[in-house]
Amino acid sequence: MTKSTASRVSTLHERALQPEARLIEQEPYYEPLGPEIALFDAAYASLIPVLLKGPTGCGKTRFMEYMAWRLKRPLITVSCHDDLTASDLVGRYLITNNETVWVDGPLAHAVRCGGICYLDEIVEARKDTTVVIHPLADDRRILPMEKHGELLHAPKEFLLAMSYNPGYQSVLKELKQSTRQRFIAIEFNYPHAALEKKIIVTETALNTDATDKLIRLAEMTRNLKGNGLDEGASTRLLVHAGKLIAKGIAPRTACNGAIAEALTDDPEMLRAINELAASLF
Amino acid sequence: MSWPPRSSDPRLTVAQGEPIGASQLEERLDEALDPVLSSRRTAQPLALKLAALLDRELQDFTLHWVAVIARTSGEMAYQFAALAPEALRKLDPATAEAWIIHAMDTFDREGLYRGSSELKNLDAFIAASNSHTQAVAFEDACNVLGLFICGLAGRRLKLEAGAEAYTDTETIHLPARIAVRESPAQNFLVYKAMATHLWAQTRYGTFNCNPAEALASYPDPHKALALYHYLETTRIDAIIARNLPGLAREIAALRDAAQPPPACRRVLDPDATATDSLALVGTLYDKFAPPRLNYMGALHPELVQAVRSSRIAREKRELQSELARMLAEKSGASQPQSAAGQRFSVNQNDQADFGGDFELRLDGEAVSPPEHVNDLLQSIAQDLGEIPDDYLVPAGGGYRENRAPDNKADDVWQGTYHEEGAVLYNEWDYKRRHYRKNWCVLRELDVHPGNPDFIDATLLKYAPQVTLLRRTFELLRGEDKLLKKQVNGDDIDLDAVISAYADMRSGMELSERLLVKRHKAERDIAVMFMVDMSGSTKGWINDAEREALVMLCEALDVLGDRYAIYGFSGITRKRCEIYRVKRFDERYDDGVRRRIAGILPQDYTRMGVAIRHLTALLNAVDARTRLLITLSDGKPDDYSDNYRGEYGIEDTRQALNEAHRSSVHPFCITIDREAREYLPRMYGEVNYTVIDDVARLPLKVADIYRRLTT
C-alpha cells in the first residue's frame, strides 16, 4: 500500500467511523435503577458480553454512554436495521484509484481499538448478521474477517453489548437462543415514581407539581399497555413533554405532542390519552 | 330536504305524482302485513289514514318502509303503518328514517314490546332529535371512555349501555345517549364525568361500608339512599379535585356553580371515607333535600352487594392459590408448603393510588408478583382497603384455579342460551341500509381431531402431485439473488471492475456500478383460509376440501408463508361458529393434520360474520400482503331470518368491502357452477375462481394460490 493510499484509507476510516466512535468526555446523567452498574463492571472485567433488555426510552442507551464514560472506553454504537449485513459490521473492500482497499466496519474498528461496541435493537438486524458476532461473544473473542483474510483477537478492553426490547418484537424477530445465551442480560424497566421524578426534574428543570402530573400521566398510559397501546409512555417521552412545558408550552398541548401523538396513531386512543392528560392538567 | 324517491310499485295504476287511493293502498298493505292481519284487524283503517295524507311521496315512503319492516317483524310493520301518517307530517325525511332505524334497533335488541314503544314514543324522539346533532351516543363514546377508565387504573371495568348510569363494581352502565347539554363536547363531558364517578365509586369504596344494610333502617330508604348518593358524589368530586384537577375544573362547569351546603363539609376532607357520608346521612336526613346533578347516575347497592361478595370470595381463593404457585416455583416444590410462620407480606407503595404496584415480600425478600397477581391485590385492596393477613396464606394446591366460567360455551348447544365468551358482530341489512348492531353472536371452537389416516391416504393418492407441488413452491421461495453492477453493495463486482478498468484505459468514463449486492426477495404474506363447513358440503365436497387443505399445507410449508385455516358454519345469527383448524402461530404438525381430517359438515353458511371475524384475526398479523381465501360451495345461506338470497349476498359483500378497506385481499374459490351469477357482486370481477370439477379441487387450490401470490 502506497503512502497516499494509506492516507486515503485513513480518510475513509474517518468518514465511515468517526461520527460514531467517540470517547465520552463529560459524565452523562444517569440514575441507577438497581445493581446494573456493578453487574456491568463485573461483566466487563470478566470479558463477558452484555445484553440490555427493556422497553424503549427507559435509559438503555444512556446507560451505555454512562458506562463508556466510567470505563473510559470509546463507545461505538450501531443502530441495527433490517438491511444491516455482516459486511456492514465487519468491513468491506472499497475501490480507490485502481486499487481495492479494505475498510473496517464499526465492529472490527471497535475490536481493534478496544472499545465498546453497542448494537442497538439487535433484533432488527438480519439473522445472518447476528451470527457474525458469535465468535466474538464467547470465550474465543475473535472476529474472523474472511474477505480480508484476517483474524482479529479482541483485546481485554473490548466489550460487546447489545440491546433489545422483548416487548414489541414480532415472532419473526426473536433473538436466537444461540445468540442470547452468550450474554449476561441486564433488565431495564421504567424507574419507580420517585426516581422518575428526580430524573425529569434534573433533565428538564420543571416544577414539582407539573412533574408529579406527568408521572401520573405516564402511569395512566402504562395501565393502557395491552389494551390498545403497545407501550406506555417512556421516561424519555416524559422528559420531552417536561422540556416543552418548561419552555412555556401549555401542558395539554405539550402532552398531546410529546406523549399522545408519540404513542399512537389510533384516533380513539389519541383522544383517550388526551382526555387523561386533560384530566390532570 | 325532499323525500327520497322510492320506486313506486309498478302494479299501481296511479300515475307518478298522483296520490294513491285508499283501496289500492289497502291492497298493498294487505299484502305486506298479511301475517298479522285477521278478520277483526284489517288494513282498511290504516289505508284510510294513509290515503288522507294526499301526498304521493309520503305514501311511497310509508309503503316502502312497511315492506322493509315486515321482513323483520309484521307486528312492527303494522304499528309503523298505523303511526306513519301522523308521524310523517311532523318529521323531515332524515329524522323519519332515523326514527324508524332507532325503533328497529331497539326491536333487534330488546324485542317487540320495547321496539313498538319506541315507535309510539315519537314525541320523545322528536325532542331528542332536536338535540340530535348535539347528542352523543354511547357507541361513539364508549371506546374512548373505556380506554380513559382503563388508564385511570384500579380494577378493570367493562362499559355497557343501559337505561341509566350505575355500576355493580365490575361493569359501568351508561345511558345509550346523552343530550342534556348544548354541544356534543359538553355531552361527552357528561359521559366522562358519569364514567369517572362510577369508576371512583368502586375505586374509593362507596360500597365498602354496605350502604344497602345501613340505609335500610331509615323510614324511607330511598330518600336516605338519594342523600347518600349526593354525599358520595360530593366526596368523590373532592377526591377528583385533588387527584385529577383538570377534570375537576370541567366537572365544576357541569355543577352549574351549585356548591355543596356547609353541612356537607366533612366529606370534602382528604381523609373522608364512605363511612363519613353514611354518618352524615343520619344528621341531614330530615334537614336537607339533595339536589340532583346531571352527571349523577343511580346507586344500586343491592346489585353491588351480590357481585361484591362473590368477587371477594373468589379473589381470596385466587390469590391464595397464586401465592401457593409462586411459593412452589420459588422453592422448587421440594419444601413442604406448610413452612413455619407468615411467609408472605405486602406493602402498598405510596403510588398505589394511581395504579402503583404492591410490594410483595416472601420471607422478608421482595418478589415481583406477576401482573395478574398485582391486579388481584389491587382489586382486593379496593374492596377491603387493605390485604388482610389471612389472604396471604398460600393455599389451593399451588395451581391456578381453573377459572371456567359458570356459563360454558358448550352450554349453548345444550339448551341454556347465553352470550358469554362470544364475540358480537354487526350485520348489514341492505333493505334498511344500516347495520344491525351486535347482531351476530360468534364463538370460536376447536375442530374435533379426526383420523390421521385420512392425511396419509391423501398424500399417497396424490404422491406424484405432492412432489411436483413441493418443487414448484420451492422455486417460489425467496432465495438470495446476487445483483451485479450495483452502485451500493456488500462486495466488489470484479467483472465490473475489470471492464471498468479497461474502459478507463481506453479513455471512457469510469462506471460507478462496481459492486454486488445480495438481494433477498422476501415474501411477506399472511394468508387466511376460510373453509366452508356447511351441511351442503357433506360427502365428496368435504373430502375434496380436506384433500385440498392437505395439499396446500404441504406446499405452504415449503414456501414459508404464514397461514391459518379456519372453518365456519353455524345456525341462525345467535350461533355462528368459527372452527380453529390452524392458527397463524401454529406449526403444521400432527395436531393440525388431525384437525384437518376432523373437518366435518355442520350447519349453514352465514358468511358475513365469519369474514368479519377472520378479517380481524388476519389484521392482527403483521404482513405486507394479507389474503383471505374462501373455499366455498355455494351462496351465503342460513336457517330462517332471511339470510338466504339477496340479504346474505349483500351482507357478505359489505363484510368483504370492510375487509378490503382494512387492506385485506379477499379471494374466493368455489365449486358452485352458478357462482358466476352472484360472486362478481360479492368479490368483484377478478377475485374469484370457479372450479367445475370437484375432484380437481385438491390439485387446483395450491395452483391458484401460487398464481395469486406471484
Side-chain angles (χ1 to χ4, degrees), chain A residues 86 89-91 102 104-112 117 129 131-138 140-155 158 160:
Chain A
L89 282 180
V90 176
W102 175 261
D104 277 346
L107 186 61
H109 185 68
V111 174
R112 276 192 217 277
C117 184
T129 318
V131 181
V132 177
I133 61 177
H134 280 185
L136 252 189
D138 51 33
R140 288 174 283 170
R141 285 174 64 86
I142 47 170
L143 179 64
M145 303 198 284
E146 285 98 355
K147 282 181 193 161
H148 193 42
E150 194 181 349
L151 191 68
L152 281 186
H153 286 269
F158 169 78
L160 182 64

Side-chain angles (χ1 to χ4, degrees), chain A residues 85 87 92-95 98 100 126 147 172 193 213 215-216 219-221 223-224 227-228 252 266 268-269 271-272 275-276 278-281, chain B residues 143-144 147-148 150-153 156 188 192 242-247 249-250 351 354-355 480 489-492 497 501 504 514 518 520 562:
Chain A
T85 60
S87 15
R92 57 162 54 93
Y93 277 107
L94 294 180
I95 296 175
N98 301 341
T100 56
R126 289 169 55 146
K147 282 181 193 161
L172 293 174
K213 287 177 179 172
I215 286 169
R216 253 190 205 162
E219 207 54 69
M220 287 170 169
T221 61
N223 287 334
L224 285 170
N227 288 289
R252 287 183 183 188
D266 177 60
E268 279 176 342
M269 183 54 86
R271 185 152 176 222
E275 292 287 352
L276 288 168
S279 68
L280 289 167
F281 287 101
Chain B
N143 287 347
V144 173
L147 293 170
F148 181 79
C150 177
L152 290 177
R156 293 276 180 268
F188 179 78
K192 190 165 73 166
R242 284 190 296 275
N243 291 324
L244 302 165
L247 181 62
R249 280 200 304 279
E250 292 177 333
Q351 284 294 316
F354 265 83
D480 276 6
D490 312 322
D491 224 331
I492 292 166
V497 172
Y501 199 67
M504 202 175 58
L514 300 174
R518 240 167 232 292
K520 192 163 186 177
R562 281 163 287 164

Side-chain angles (χ1 to χ4, degrees), chain B residues 249-537:
Chain B
R249 280 200 304 279
E250 292 177 333
I251 292 183
L254 292 180
R255 285 185 87 114
D256 293 327
Q259 287 305 316
C264 307
R265 278 287 143 77
R266 171 71 191 106
V267 293
L268 301 178
D269 293 343
D271 60 342
T273 63
T275 323
D276 295 306
S277 302
L278 217 48
L280 261 184
V281 172
T283 336
L284 296 174
Y285 180 68
D286 292 322
K287 298 173 196 146
F288 176 61
R292 258 200 79 76
L293 306 168
N294 54 16
Y295 55 90
M296 274 166 78
L299 281 193
H300 291 293
E302 66 292 343
L303 287 179
V304 171
Q305 212 50 41
V307 173
R308 187 170 175 266
S309 48
S310 83
R311 181 181 57 234
I312 288 176
R314 185 186 72 231
E315 288 184 340
K316 179 173 180 179
R317 275 200 317 274
E318 279 180 23
L319 181 68
Q320 288 181 332
S321 81
E322 282 296 341
L323 292 182
R325 206 168 55 84
M326 287 170 67
L327 197 62
E329 264 170 29
K330 181 158 191 287
S331 53
S334 57
Q335 261 172 293
Q337 275 177 21
S338 54
Q342 180 79 35
R343 302 199 56 177
F344 280 101
S345 61
V346 145
N347 283 328
Q348 199 169 344
N349 291 351
D350 299 341
Q351 284 294 316
D353 201 32
F354 265 83
D357 291 345
F358 288 82
E359 196 186 39
L360 193 61
R361 287 177 170 276
L362 173 57
D363 298 336
E365 194 184 314
V367 287
S368 62
E371 205 156 300
H372 61 274
V373 175
N374 216 346
D375 288 347
L376 265 181
L377 290 169
Q378 274 276 2
S379 181
I380 294 167
Q382 263 183 44
D383 276 331
L384 306 173
E386 52 162 11
I387 310 290
D389 284 344
D390 60 327
Y391 275 59
L392 296 171
V393 181
Y399 292 100
R400 195 173 306 178
E401 193 172 336
N402 184 13
R403 262 175 282 172
D406 301 339
N407 284 331
K408 292 196 196 72
D410 284 347
D411 291 351
V412 179
W413 283 262
Q414 285 155 11
T416 35
Y417 185 75
H418 60 85
E419 291 180 359
E420 218 144 294
V423 197
L424 302 180
Y425 284 96
N426 293 348
E427 187 168 282
W428 178 253
D429 184 336
Y430 79 108
K431 283 270 186 184
R432 294 191 203 168
R433 305 204 56 70
H434 280 268
Y435 283 103
R436 292 181 167 208
K437 309 221 168 57
N438 295 335
W439 188 245
C440 293
V441 184
L442 180 135
R443 284 183 180 76
E444 267 192 31
L445 307 169
D446 276 315
V447 172
H448 190 71
N451 186 353
D453 291 350
F454 175 81
I455 307 292
D456 297 336
T458 307
L459 290 179
L460 203 65
K461 180 174 166 193
Y462 293 104
Q465 284 94 335
V466 168
T467 321
L468 190 69
L469 207 62
R470 282 181 154 261
R471 204 172 303 148
T472 325
F473 274 78
E474 253 165 36
L475 289 177
L476 282 178
R477 201 158 53 183
E479 299 282 302
D480 276 6
K481 266 191 217 147
L482 207 57
L483 302 177
K484 294 197 156 193
K485 295 192 176 178
Q486 297 294 307
V487 181
N488 296 308
D490 312 322
D491 224 331
I492 292 166
D493 184 350
L494 278 177
D495 293 343
V497 172
I498 292 165
S499 73
Y501 199 67
D503 284 353
M504 202 175 58
R505 274 296 169 91
S506 63
M508 292 206 284
E509 207 175 327
L510 183 71
S511 166
E512 282 185 333
R513 303 179 161 272
L514 300 174
L515 300 166
V516 284
K517 186 151 105 184
R518 240 167 232 292
H519 177 75
K520 192 163 186 177
E522 277 181 70
R523 289 174 59 90
D524 195 2
I525 297 177
V527 57
M528 165 77 76
F529 290 96
M530 174 172 143
V531 184
D532 190 340
M533 284 171 66
S534 61
S536 57
T537 60

